[in-house]
Amino acid sequence: MEQAHAETTAESSASERLLSPAEVAEQFGVDVRTVARWEHDGRLTAIRTLGGHRRYLHREVVVLLAARAKGTA
């Protein structure tokens, strides 16, 4: 049972949409350096590709956008 859950979790993680720093910056209307600063501050979690490029989880970006809209970010 645990193995099946782990496989399902891995599959969901693999299908999670990842955004580039430029895509995140465009959604917020900020510079890509601001996105990197948010990562450094802990607002966003970066996943590194095999080539070392940063990618951000779409769901985290949506949460941050919602918080920003409410004025809490």
Side-chain angles (χ1 to χ4, degrees), residues 46-67:
I47 294 172
R48 299 287 181 152
T49 66
L50 293 176
H53 300 278
R54 291 181 177 100
R55 295 294 181 260
Y56 300 93
L57 294 171
H58 179 258
R59 64 184 139 95
E60 281 191 8
V61 172
V62 168
V63 169
L64 191 58
L65 275 169

